[in-house]
Amino acid sequence: MPAQPVEHTLALKTFFLELSGNDGIMEALGQGTLDTAHTAAITEMAHRSGVSSKGSIVDTLLLLVGRHDKLVTTSLRQAIRTYRALQKNASNRSRTLKRTIAYALGLHKIPVSYQAICHTGAAYLLVRERMEDSCFKHHSILVDAGNEDLVQDTNKPVVTVSLDTDNTWHVVKPDENAIFINKMGEVELAILRNSCAPCPELLSYVNTVIQEAVLDRRGCRPSHPGKLIQCGWNAGPRHARVFGLVRNIKHTISGEERAQHDQKILGICSLSWNLLTAHLPKEVVDGVSKAIAEADLPNMSMLDDYSDDGYELQLPSGTLSFKTAPRAPAEAYLVQNYSAPIHKDKLYAPYALNWSTQCEPGDVHESHPEKSLGGNFVDVSLRVVVQSAADTFMAIRPGYKHGTTHSRPGTLRQGVAINFSTHIKEAYDTAIKAGGFHLEFDGGSLG
Protein backbone atom coordinates (compact mmCIF):
# COMPACT_ATOMS: atom_id res chain seq x y z
CA MET A 1 0.00 0.00 0.00
CA PRO A 2 1.42 3.43 -0.90
CA ALA A 3 2.39 5.74 1.96
CA GLN A 4 -0.49 7.72 3.40
CA PRO A 5 -0.32 11.47 4.06
CA VAL A 6 0.57 12.30 7.67
CA GLU A 7 -2.78 14.07 8.13
CA HIS A 8 -4.68 10.96 7.05
CA THR A 9 -2.67 8.73 9.36
CA LEU A 10 -3.27 11.05 12.32
CA ALA A 11 -6.98 11.19 11.51
CA LEU A 12 -7.20 7.40 11.46
CA LYS A 13 -5.26 7.05 14.75
CA THR A 14 -7.57 9.57 16.39
CA PHE A 15 -10.64 7.76 15.06
CA PHE A 16 -9.44 4.32 16.18
CA LEU A 17 -8.43 5.57 19.63
CA GLU A 18 -11.77 7.26 20.22
CA LEU A 19 -13.60 4.11 19.17
CA SER A 20 -11.44 2.00 21.51
CA GLY A 21 -12.30 4.28 24.40
CA ASN A 22 -16.07 4.03 23.90
CA ASP A 23 -17.21 1.13 26.09
CA GLY A 24 -20.70 1.00 24.56
CA ILE A 25 -19.47 0.68 20.99
CA MET A 26 -16.74 -1.80 21.93
CA GLU A 27 -19.25 -3.98 23.75
CA ALA A 28 -21.68 -3.82 20.83
CA LEU A 29 -18.91 -4.82 18.40
CA GLY A 30 -17.94 -7.73 20.61
CA GLN A 31 -21.54 -8.92 20.83
CA GLY A 32 -22.52 -8.14 17.25
CA THR A 33 -25.32 -5.84 18.42
CA LEU A 34 -24.55 -2.52 16.74
CA ASP A 35 -27.74 -0.48 16.46
CA THR A 36 -28.66 2.88 14.93
CA ALA A 37 -27.48 4.79 18.03
CA HIS A 38 -24.05 3.14 17.80
CA THR A 39 -23.71 3.81 14.07
CA ALA A 40 -24.69 7.44 14.62
CA ALA A 41 -22.00 7.75 17.30
CA ILE A 42 -19.39 6.15 15.00
CA THR A 43 -20.37 8.54 12.22
CA GLU A 44 -19.90 11.51 14.56
CA MET A 45 -16.47 10.23 15.67
CA ALA A 46 -15.39 9.84 12.06
CA HIS A 47 -16.53 13.38 11.32
CA ARG A 48 -14.65 14.83 14.31
CA SER A 49 -11.51 12.91 13.37
CA GLY A 50 -11.61 14.02 9.75
CA VAL A 51 -12.25 10.52 8.38
CA SER A 52 -14.59 10.49 5.39
CA SER A 53 -17.19 7.79 4.82
CA LYS A 54 -19.01 6.75 1.69
CA GLY A 55 -22.04 4.54 2.21
CA SER A 56 -22.43 2.53 5.41
CA ILE A 57 -20.24 3.76 8.28
CA VAL A 58 -19.90 0.17 9.56
CA ASP A 59 -18.65 -1.03 6.15
CA THR A 60 -16.23 1.92 6.08
CA LEU A 61 -14.95 1.03 9.56
CA LEU A 62 -14.37 -2.62 8.63
CA LEU A 63 -12.55 -1.56 5.47
CA LEU A 64 -10.31 0.94 7.27
CA VAL A 65 -9.40 -1.53 10.02
CA GLY A 66 -8.48 -4.12 7.39
CA ARG A 67 -6.32 -1.70 5.42
CA HIS A 68 -4.60 0.02 8.36
CA ASP A 69 -4.09 -2.80 10.85
CA LYS A 70 -0.88 -1.28 12.29
CA LEU A 71 -2.78 1.82 13.40
CA VAL A 72 -5.52 -0.15 15.15
CA THR A 73 -5.45 -0.74 18.91
CA THR A 74 -5.35 -4.33 20.12
CA SER A 75 -8.76 -4.07 21.77
CA LEU A 76 -10.41 -2.63 18.67
CA ARG A 77 -8.77 -5.23 16.44
CA GLN A 78 -10.13 -8.05 18.59
CA ALA A 79 -13.60 -6.49 18.75
CA ILE A 80 -13.68 -6.15 14.96
CA ARG A 81 -12.61 -9.78 14.51
CA THR A 82 -15.37 -10.93 16.84
CA TYR A 83 -17.89 -8.72 15.06
CA ARG A 84 -16.92 -10.12 11.64
CA ALA A 85 -17.26 -13.70 12.91
CA LEU A 86 -20.64 -13.01 14.47
CA GLN A 87 -21.89 -11.31 11.31
CA LYS A 88 -20.73 -14.24 9.19
CA ASN A 89 -22.53 -16.70 11.46
CA ALA A 90 -25.66 -14.55 11.40
CA SER A 91 -25.50 -14.33 7.61
CA ASN A 92 -25.20 -18.12 7.34
CA ARG A 93 -28.16 -18.60 9.69
CA SER A 94 -30.18 -16.08 7.70
CA ARG A 95 -29.46 -17.86 4.41
CA THR A 96 -30.45 -21.19 5.92
CA LEU A 97 -33.65 -19.75 7.40
CA LYS A 98 -34.54 -17.99 4.15
CA ARG A 99 -33.99 -21.19 2.17
CA THR A 100 -36.10 -23.17 4.64
CA ILE A 101 -38.95 -20.65 4.57
CA ALA A 102 -38.84 -20.21 0.79
CA TYR A 103 -39.21 -23.93 0.17
CA ALA A 104 -41.74 -24.48 2.97
CA LEU A 105 -43.96 -21.75 1.52
CA GLY A 106 -43.42 -22.71 -2.10
CA LEU A 107 -41.94 -19.33 -3.06
CA HIS A 108 -39.94 -21.07 -5.79
CA LYS A 109 -43.02 -22.69 -7.30
CA ILE A 110 -44.11 -22.00 -10.84
CA PRO A 111 -47.89 -21.48 -10.90
CA VAL A 112 -49.91 -24.31 -12.41
CA SER A 113 -53.30 -24.36 -14.10
CA TYR A 114 -56.54 -24.57 -12.18
CA GLN A 115 -57.05 -28.06 -13.67
CA ALA A 116 -53.73 -29.19 -12.17
CA ILE A 117 -54.61 -27.71 -8.76
CA CYS A 118 -58.00 -29.41 -8.69
CA HIS A 119 -56.64 -32.68 -10.10
CA THR A 120 -54.50 -33.09 -6.97
CA GLY A 121 -57.53 -32.59 -4.74
CA ALA A 122 -56.17 -29.29 -3.38
CA ALA A 123 -59.43 -27.54 -4.33
CA TYR A 124 -62.83 -28.41 -5.73
CA LEU A 125 -63.86 -27.03 -9.12
CA LEU A 126 -67.28 -25.60 -9.96
CA VAL A 127 -68.62 -24.26 -13.23
CA ARG A 128 -70.77 -21.27 -12.30
CA GLU A 129 -72.10 -18.49 -14.49
CA ARG A 130 -72.66 -14.93 -13.38
CA MET A 131 -76.28 -13.87 -12.96
CA GLU A 132 -78.24 -10.70 -13.44
CA ASP A 133 -77.56 -8.52 -10.38
CA SER A 134 -79.58 -5.32 -10.81
CA CYS A 135 -81.71 -6.33 -7.83
CA PHE A 136 -78.64 -5.80 -5.64
CA LYS A 137 -78.23 -2.05 -5.44
CA HIS A 138 -74.86 -0.33 -5.26
CA HIS A 139 -73.82 0.67 -1.72
CA SER A 140 -76.16 -1.88 -0.13
CA ILE A 141 -74.80 -3.19 3.16
CA LEU A 142 -74.05 -6.90 3.31
CA VAL A 143 -74.75 -8.93 6.44
CA ASP A 144 -74.70 -12.65 7.22
CA ALA A 145 -77.95 -14.38 8.12
CA GLY A 146 -78.27 -14.24 11.91
CA ASN A 147 -76.25 -11.01 12.15
CA GLU A 148 -79.07 -8.64 11.23
CA ASP A 149 -78.69 -6.94 14.62
CA LEU A 150 -75.44 -5.39 13.32
CA VAL A 151 -77.34 -3.25 10.80
CA GLN A 152 -80.66 -2.61 12.54
CA ASP A 153 -79.98 1.13 12.83
CA THR A 154 -78.89 1.77 9.23
CA ASN A 155 -80.99 3.70 6.75
CA LYS A 156 -79.25 2.08 3.78
CA PRO A 157 -80.51 -0.96 1.89
CA VAL A 158 -79.38 -4.26 3.39
CA VAL A 159 -78.69 -7.58 1.66
CA THR A 160 -78.69 -10.66 3.90
CA VAL A 161 -76.63 -13.59 2.62
CA SER A 162 -76.94 -17.22 3.58
CA LEU A 163 -74.23 -19.13 5.43
CA ASP A 164 -75.35 -22.43 3.89
CA THR A 165 -75.40 -23.32 0.23
CA ASP A 166 -78.96 -23.02 -1.11
CA ASN A 167 -80.74 -22.27 -4.37
CA THR A 168 -79.31 -18.73 -4.41
CA TRP A 169 -75.93 -18.72 -2.71
CA HIS A 170 -72.98 -21.09 -2.81
CA VAL A 171 -70.99 -20.87 0.44
CA VAL A 172 -67.27 -21.73 0.64
CA LYS A 173 -66.68 -22.88 4.22
CA PRO A 174 -63.59 -21.73 6.20
CA ASP A 175 -61.81 -25.06 5.65
CA GLU A 176 -62.60 -25.36 1.93
CA ASN A 177 -60.53 -24.53 -1.15
CA ALA A 178 -62.47 -23.78 -4.31
CA ILE A 179 -62.04 -22.54 -7.86
CA PHE A 180 -64.99 -21.26 -9.88
CA ILE A 181 -64.86 -21.10 -13.67
CA ASN A 182 -67.38 -20.06 -16.30
CA LYS A 183 -68.47 -22.22 -19.23
CA MET A 184 -65.60 -20.77 -21.31
CA GLY A 185 -63.10 -22.17 -18.80
CA GLU A 186 -62.13 -18.75 -17.43
CA VAL A 187 -61.40 -18.42 -13.71
CA GLU A 188 -64.02 -16.28 -11.97
CA LEU A 189 -62.94 -16.78 -8.36
CA ALA A 190 -60.20 -18.77 -6.62
CA ILE A 191 -59.85 -19.54 -2.90
CA LEU A 192 -56.81 -21.43 -1.54
CA ARG A 193 -56.12 -21.75 2.18
CA ASN A 194 -53.39 -22.65 4.68
CA SER A 195 -50.37 -22.28 2.39
CA CYS A 196 -48.38 -20.67 5.23
CA ALA A 197 -49.17 -23.29 7.87
CA PRO A 198 -45.50 -24.46 7.96
CA CYS A 199 -44.35 -20.96 9.05
CA PRO A 200 -46.59 -19.53 11.80
CA GLU A 201 -43.82 -17.09 12.80
CA LEU A 202 -44.04 -15.48 9.38
CA LEU A 203 -47.81 -15.09 9.56
CA SER A 204 -47.48 -13.57 13.05
CA TYR A 205 -44.89 -11.09 11.75
CA VAL A 206 -47.13 -9.99 8.87
CA ASN A 207 -50.02 -9.39 11.28
CA THR A 208 -47.79 -7.38 13.61
CA VAL A 209 -46.71 -5.09 10.76
CA ILE A 210 -50.34 -4.58 9.72
CA GLN A 211 -51.29 -3.66 13.29
CA GLU A 212 -48.42 -1.14 13.46
CA ALA A 213 -49.47 0.42 10.15
CA VAL A 214 -53.09 0.78 11.32
CA LEU A 215 -51.89 2.67 14.40
CA ASP A 216 -49.40 4.88 12.53
CA ARG A 217 -51.17 5.69 9.26
CA ARG A 218 -54.33 7.33 8.00
CA GLY A 219 -56.75 5.07 6.19
CA CYS A 220 -58.89 5.33 3.08
CA ARG A 221 -62.68 5.06 3.05
CA PRO A 222 -63.23 6.47 6.56
CA SER A 223 -67.01 6.07 6.21
CA HIS A 224 -66.67 2.27 5.99
CA PRO A 225 -66.20 0.00 9.01
CA GLY A 226 -62.60 -0.96 9.72
CA LYS A 227 -59.29 0.26 8.34
CA LEU A 228 -57.92 0.30 4.79
CA ILE A 229 -54.31 1.55 4.65
CA GLN A 230 -52.92 2.29 1.21
CA CYS A 231 -49.30 1.49 0.33
CA GLY A 232 -47.12 2.26 -2.67
CA TRP A 233 -48.24 4.63 -5.43
CA ASN A 234 -51.49 6.55 -5.74
CA ALA A 235 -53.17 9.16 -7.87
CA GLY A 236 -53.82 11.75 -5.18
CA PRO A 237 -57.24 13.06 -4.09
CA ARG A 238 -60.17 13.12 -6.52
CA HIS A 239 -60.05 16.90 -6.95
CA ALA A 240 -56.28 17.05 -7.66
CA ARG A 241 -54.94 13.97 -9.38
CA VAL A 242 -51.14 13.73 -8.94
CA PHE A 243 -49.28 10.46 -9.33
CA GLY A 244 -46.88 9.89 -6.44
CA LEU A 245 -45.99 7.84 -3.40
CA VAL A 246 -48.55 7.66 -0.62
CA ARG A 247 -47.68 9.71 2.44
CA ASN A 248 -50.18 8.81 5.13
CA ILE A 249 -48.24 8.73 8.41
CA LYS A 250 -50.31 10.42 11.12
CA HIS A 251 -47.50 12.04 13.10
CA THR A 252 -44.02 13.45 12.61
CA ILE A 253 -41.22 10.90 12.81
CA SER A 254 -37.57 10.94 11.84
CA GLY A 255 -36.51 9.98 8.34
CA GLU A 256 -34.75 6.91 9.69
CA GLU A 257 -37.81 5.72 11.62
CA ARG A 258 -40.02 6.31 8.63
CA ALA A 259 -37.68 4.29 6.42
CA GLN A 260 -37.87 1.39 8.89
CA HIS A 261 -41.68 1.50 8.84
CA ASP A 262 -41.75 1.70 5.04
CA GLN A 263 -39.28 -1.17 4.75
CA LYS A 264 -41.52 -3.45 6.82
CA ILE A 265 -44.62 -2.59 4.80
CA LEU A 266 -42.78 -3.00 1.51
CA GLY A 267 -41.55 -6.36 2.80
CA ILE A 268 -44.94 -7.86 3.67
CA CYS A 269 -46.59 -6.52 0.52
CA SER A 270 -43.84 -8.02 -1.64
CA LEU A 271 -43.99 -11.30 0.28
CA SER A 272 -47.76 -11.34 -0.33
CA TRP A 273 -47.27 -10.78 -4.05
CA ASN A 274 -44.68 -13.56 -4.35
CA LEU A 275 -46.83 -16.00 -2.38
CA LEU A 276 -50.00 -15.21 -4.31
CA THR A 277 -48.34 -15.55 -7.70
CA ALA A 278 -46.70 -18.84 -6.68
CA HIS A 279 -49.92 -20.49 -5.49
CA LEU A 280 -52.88 -19.06 -7.41
CA PRO A 281 -53.83 -20.61 -10.77
CA LYS A 282 -51.58 -19.91 -13.72
CA GLU A 283 -54.50 -18.44 -15.63
CA VAL A 284 -54.90 -15.78 -12.94
CA VAL A 285 -51.19 -15.04 -12.63
CA ASP A 286 -50.67 -14.83 -16.41
CA GLY A 287 -53.61 -12.45 -16.84
CA VAL A 288 -52.42 -10.15 -14.07
CA SER A 289 -48.78 -10.25 -15.19
CA LYS A 290 -49.74 -9.36 -18.77
CA ALA A 291 -51.76 -6.36 -17.55
CA ILE A 292 -48.89 -5.19 -15.32
CA ALA A 293 -46.43 -5.38 -18.20
CA GLU A 294 -48.75 -3.41 -20.49
CA ALA A 295 -49.47 -0.76 -17.84
CA ASP A 296 -45.74 -0.30 -17.19
CA LEU A 297 -46.22 1.31 -13.77
CA PRO A 298 -43.27 1.23 -11.36
CA ASN A 299 -43.26 -1.52 -8.77
CA MET A 300 -44.02 -0.65 -5.15
CA SER A 301 -41.37 1.69 -3.81
CA MET A 302 -40.45 3.68 -0.74
CA LEU A 303 -38.94 7.13 -0.49
CA ASP A 304 -35.31 7.08 -1.74
CA ASP A 305 -35.59 3.44 -2.84
CA TYR A 306 -37.20 2.92 -6.23
CA SER A 307 -35.79 -0.48 -7.17
CA ASP A 308 -37.99 -3.03 -8.90
CA ASP A 309 -36.56 -5.92 -6.87
CA GLY A 310 -35.54 -6.76 -3.33
CA TYR A 311 -37.25 -6.71 0.06
CA GLU A 312 -36.64 -7.63 3.69
CA LEU A 313 -38.57 -9.38 6.43
CA GLN A 314 -37.38 -8.36 9.90
CA LEU A 315 -38.44 -11.51 11.75
CA PRO A 316 -37.71 -11.98 15.47
CA SER A 317 -35.37 -14.84 14.53
CA GLY A 318 -33.41 -12.61 12.15
CA THR A 319 -33.73 -10.39 9.09
CA LEU A 320 -34.35 -12.21 5.82
CA SER A 321 -33.21 -10.40 2.68
CA PHE A 322 -34.69 -11.39 -0.68
CA LYS A 323 -32.41 -9.21 -2.78
CA THR A 324 -33.42 -10.43 -6.24
CA ALA A 325 -37.10 -11.25 -5.64
CA PRO A 326 -39.62 -8.98 -7.38
CA ARG A 327 -41.38 -6.37 -5.33
CA ALA A 328 -45.14 -6.02 -5.18
CA PRO A 329 -46.88 -4.10 -7.99
CA ALA A 330 -47.58 -0.40 -7.61
CA GLU A 331 -50.68 -0.52 -5.40
CA ALA A 332 -51.50 -2.47 -2.24
CA TYR A 333 -53.62 -2.15 0.89
CA LEU A 334 -53.27 -3.35 4.46
CA VAL A 335 -56.68 -4.26 5.83
CA GLN A 336 -58.03 -4.57 9.37
CA ASN A 337 -61.70 -5.37 10.10
CA TYR A 338 -62.69 -3.66 6.87
CA SER A 339 -66.17 -4.16 5.41
CA ALA A 340 -67.26 -2.74 2.08
CA PRO A 341 -70.83 -2.38 0.78
CA ILE A 342 -71.78 -3.69 -2.64
CA HIS A 343 -69.70 -1.96 -5.30
CA LYS A 344 -67.61 -2.40 -8.43
CA ASP A 345 -63.99 -1.40 -8.99
CA LYS A 346 -62.40 -0.23 -12.22
CA LEU A 347 -59.20 -2.18 -12.77
CA TYR A 348 -56.67 -2.43 -15.60
CA ALA A 349 -56.05 -6.09 -14.67
CA PRO A 350 -58.61 -8.91 -14.79
CA TYR A 351 -58.18 -9.83 -11.11
CA ALA A 352 -57.30 -8.41 -7.71
CA LEU A 353 -55.34 -10.63 -5.34
CA ASN A 354 -55.91 -10.90 -1.57
CA TRP A 355 -54.23 -12.65 1.34
CA SER A 356 -56.32 -12.90 4.50
CA THR A 357 -53.75 -13.27 7.27
CA GLN A 358 -55.84 -13.28 10.45
CA CYS A 359 -59.39 -14.09 11.53
CA GLU A 360 -60.00 -14.42 15.26
CA PRO A 361 -63.23 -14.15 17.26
CA GLY A 362 -63.44 -11.63 20.05
CA ASP A 363 -64.58 -12.18 23.62
CA VAL A 364 -68.11 -11.08 22.70
CA HIS A 365 -68.39 -14.06 20.35
CA GLU A 366 -68.12 -16.49 23.26
CA SER A 367 -71.57 -15.49 24.46
CA HIS A 368 -73.02 -15.94 20.94
CA PRO A 369 -71.07 -18.84 19.38
CA GLU A 370 -73.96 -19.53 17.00
CA LYS A 371 -73.39 -16.15 15.32
CA SER A 372 -71.22 -15.74 12.24
CA LEU A 373 -68.00 -13.78 12.75
CA GLY A 374 -68.84 -11.86 9.60
CA GLY A 375 -66.23 -10.31 7.35
CA ASN A 376 -67.12 -12.75 4.58
CA PHE A 377 -66.38 -11.91 0.95
CA VAL A 378 -69.44 -11.88 -1.29
CA ASP A 379 -69.28 -12.09 -5.09
CA VAL A 380 -72.77 -10.81 -5.77
CA SER A 381 -73.26 -11.66 -9.44
CA LEU A 382 -71.61 -15.08 -8.99
CA ARG A 383 -73.78 -15.63 -5.88
CA VAL A 384 -70.83 -16.96 -3.87
CA VAL A 385 -70.03 -16.29 -0.20
CA VAL A 386 -66.47 -17.02 0.95
CA GLN A 387 -66.34 -17.43 4.71
CA SER A 388 -63.41 -15.62 6.25
CA ALA A 389 -60.45 -17.61 7.59
CA ALA A 390 -56.82 -16.88 8.37
CA ASP A 391 -54.20 -17.66 5.75
CA THR A 392 -56.48 -17.52 2.71
CA PHE A 393 -55.33 -16.62 -0.81
CA MET A 394 -57.97 -15.25 -3.16
CA ALA A 395 -58.23 -14.07 -6.74
CA ILE A 396 -61.39 -12.04 -7.31
CA ARG A 397 -63.01 -10.14 -10.20
CA PRO A 398 -63.70 -6.66 -8.73
CA GLY A 399 -65.22 -5.41 -11.98
CA TYR A 400 -68.37 -7.24 -10.90
CA LYS A 401 -70.50 -6.38 -7.88
CA HIS A 402 -68.94 -7.56 -4.64
CA GLY A 403 -68.51 -6.59 -1.01
CA THR A 404 -67.84 -7.81 2.53
CA THR A 405 -70.34 -8.64 5.27
CA HIS A 406 -70.22 -6.73 8.53
CA SER A 407 -68.12 -8.28 11.33
CA ARG A 408 -69.27 -8.98 14.86
CA PRO A 409 -67.71 -6.71 17.51
CA GLY A 410 -64.36 -7.90 18.78
CA THR A 411 -63.50 -9.95 15.72
CA LEU A 412 -59.97 -9.34 14.43
CA ARG A 413 -59.51 -9.76 10.68
CA GLN A 414 -56.44 -8.63 8.80
CA GLY A 415 -54.90 -9.04 5.40
CA VAL A 416 -53.05 -7.67 2.39
CA ALA A 417 -54.72 -6.76 -0.91
CA ILE A 418 -52.97 -6.22 -4.24
CA ASN A 419 -55.01 -4.00 -6.53
CA PHE A 420 -54.76 -2.47 -10.00
CA SER A 421 -56.91 0.68 -10.03
CA THR A 422 -57.54 2.29 -13.40
CA HIS A 423 -57.43 5.81 -11.96
CA ILE A 424 -53.86 5.24 -10.73
CA LYS A 425 -52.75 4.04 -14.15
CA GLU A 426 -54.43 7.05 -15.77
CA ALA A 427 -52.66 9.43 -13.38
CA TYR A 428 -49.35 7.73 -14.18
CA ASP A 429 -49.93 7.96 -17.94
CA THR A 430 -50.83 11.63 -17.62
CA ALA A 431 -47.72 12.33 -15.54
CA ILE A 432 -45.44 10.57 -18.02
CA LYS A 433 -46.92 12.52 -20.93
CA ALA A 434 -46.33 15.72 -18.97
CA GLY A 435 -42.69 14.84 -18.41
CA GLY A 436 -42.59 13.21 -14.98
CA PHE A 437 -44.33 12.81 -11.65
CA HIS A 438 -44.09 13.74 -7.98
CA LEU A 439 -42.47 11.20 -5.69
CA GLU A 440 -44.85 11.87 -2.81
CA PHE A 441 -48.21 13.29 -1.97
CA ASP A 442 -50.32 13.53 1.15
CA GLY A 443 -52.57 10.52 0.59
CA GLY A 444 -55.67 9.25 2.26
CA SER A 445 -58.34 9.01 -0.43
CA LEU A 446 -59.04 6.62 -3.25
CA GLY A 447 -60.44 7.28 -6.66
Side-chain angles (χ1 to χ4, degrees):
M1 179 181 293
Q4 299 293 318
V6 173
E7 294 83 358
H8 184 61
T9 299
L10 288 174
L12 287 173
K13 282 185 176 180
T14 302
F15 180 43
F16 293 150
L17 282 171
E18 188 171 359
L19 281 171
S20 301
N22 188 300
D23 293 339
I25 291 175
M26 293 294 286
E27 181 179 356
L29 284 169
Q31 296 178 353
T33 57
L34 283 179
D35 59 21
T36 54
H38 295 126
T39 56
I42 295 172
T43 301
E44 181 60 27
M45 290 178 190
H47 179 73
R48 283 198 301 267
S49 303
V51 174
S52 60
S53 170
K54 293 182 179 180
S56 165
I57 187 62
V58 176
D59 290 343
T60 299
L61 172 60
L62 298 177
L63 179 65
L64 291 174
V65 168
R67 287 183 175 179
H68 305 280
D69 182 71
K70 292 183 179 179
L71 303 179
V72 180
T73 64
T74 302
S75 60
L76 180 59
R77 184 183 299 113
Q78 182 57 48
I80 291 293
R81 286 176 181 170
T82 302
Y83 180 79
R84 287 182 185 276
L86 291 170
Q87 291 300 107
K88 183 177 181 180
N89 290 339
S91 178
N92 290 338
R93 287 195 303 272
S94 177
R95 280 197 296 270
T96 300
L97 180 60
K98 182 174 73 173
R99 191 179 303 115
T100 300
I101 287 178
Y103 280 99
L105 298 182
L107 285 170
H108 297 297
K109 285 176 54 178
I110 296 174
V112 298
S113 68
Y114 69 81
Q115 294 101 325
I117 293 173
C118 296
H119 181 72
T120 65
Y124 64 78
L125 181 66
L126 277 180
V127 178
R128 195 170 178 89
E129 294 298 316
R130 294 191 177 275
M131 306 177 208
E132 201 281 327
D133 60 11
S134 61
C135 59
F136 297 100
K137 302 300 183 184
H138 276 280
H139 309 301
S140 296
I141 294 175
L142 290 161
V143 66
D144 298 323
N147 280 352
E148 290 85 354
D149 58 300
L150 298 178
V151 294
Q152 60 185 358
D153 296 328
T154 185
N155 56 5
K156 295 182 179 180
V158 174
V159 174
T160 302
V161 297
S162 174
L163 291 177
D164 293 298
T165 297
D166 55 24
N167 292 332
T168 302
W169 299 98
H170 182 95
V171 180
V172 181
K173 297 297 184 180
D175 58 349
E176 292 180 330
N177 297 339
I179 297 175
F180 296 84
I181 62 172
N182 59 32
K183 62 184 179 183
M184 302 298 294
E186 300 166 330
V187 175
E188 295 287 352
L189 176 64
I191 307 101
L192 300 173
R193 307 191 195 263
N194 296 320
S195 295
C196 294
C199 299
E201 178 193 20
L202 190 66
L203 206 56
S204 176
Y205 170 75
V206 171
N207 284 318
T208 297
V209 174
I210 294 173
Q211 289 170 345
E212 291 174 352
V214 167
L215 291 173
D216 292 339
R217 297 175 185 251
R218 296 189 303 278
C220 310
R221 307 295 194 205
S223 63
H224 294 173
K227 298 293 184 180
L228 186 68
I229 309 298
Q230 186 165 14
C231 316
W233 301 93
N234 199 347
R238 292 174 186 270
H239 65 279
R241 291 302 195 198
V242 180
F243 184 82
L245 285 177
V246 172
R247 186 177 63 194
N248 52 8
I249 294 178
K250 294 178 182 177
H251 48 271
T252 302
I253 60 175
S254 68
E256 186 173 355
E257 187 178 1
R258 173 183 170 161
Q260 290 174 348
H261 288 199
D262 289 347
Q263 188 70 255
K264 289 181 179 180
I265 290 173
L266 174 64
I268 66 168
C269 290
S270 297
L271 171 68
S272 302
W273 168 248
N274 283 281
L275 283 171
L276 289 162
T277 53
H279 288 272
L280 287 170
K282 183 177 186 297
E283 294 82 358
V284 169
V285 177
D286 286 351
V288 169
S289 298
K290 181 175 182 290
I292 290 172
E294 291 174 351
D296 199 32
L297 271 73
N299 281 352
M300 183 171 289
S301 303
M302 51 184 281
L303 194 62
D304 298 327
D305 183 355
Y306 307 104
S307 302
D308 284 332
D309 304 313
Y311 65 94
E312 289 185 355
L313 303 174
Q314 299 170 23
L315 303 181
S317 56
T319 297
L320 302 185
S321 296
F322 297 85
K323 295 182 180 179
T324 59
R327 289 182 175 178
E331 176 192 4
Y333 300 87
L334 305 183
V335 183
Q336 185 183 83
N337 296 335
Y338 181 71
S339 294
I342 293 176
H343 68 288
K344 294 180 181 179
D345 295 316
K346 294 181 180 179
L347 270 64
Y348 60 86
Y351 303 93
L353 311 182
N354 301 332
W355 180 21
S356 173
T357 58
Q358 189 169 17
C359 181
E360 297 180 4
D363 295 336
V364 177
H365 187 69
E366 294 180 3
S367 59
H368 297 283
E370 76 284 359
K371 301 283 190 179
S372 165
L373 294 179
N376 299 323
F377 173 77
V378 181
D379 188 317
V380 175
S381 63
L382 204 59
R383 304 296 200 276
V384 173
V385 180
V386 181
Q387 289 193 290
S388 183
D391 194 13
T392 298
F393 296 155
M394 290 180 56
I396 67 174
R397 300 287 298 272
Y400 298 96
K401 287 182 180 178
H402 65 284
T404 317
T405 62
H406 274 226
S407 297
R408 294 218 67 84
T411 302
L412 179 58
R413 295 183 296 108
Q414 297 195 136
V416 181
I418 309 292
N419 213 27
F420 307 95
S421 298
T422 300
H423 73 278
I424 293 182
K425 179 183 180 303
E426 291 172 348
Y428 174 74
D429 292 341
T430 299
I432 292 301
K433 289 178 183 178
F437 53 84
H438 295 273
L439 293 180
E440 254 193 332
F441 83 96
D442 195 1
S445 64
L446 291 169

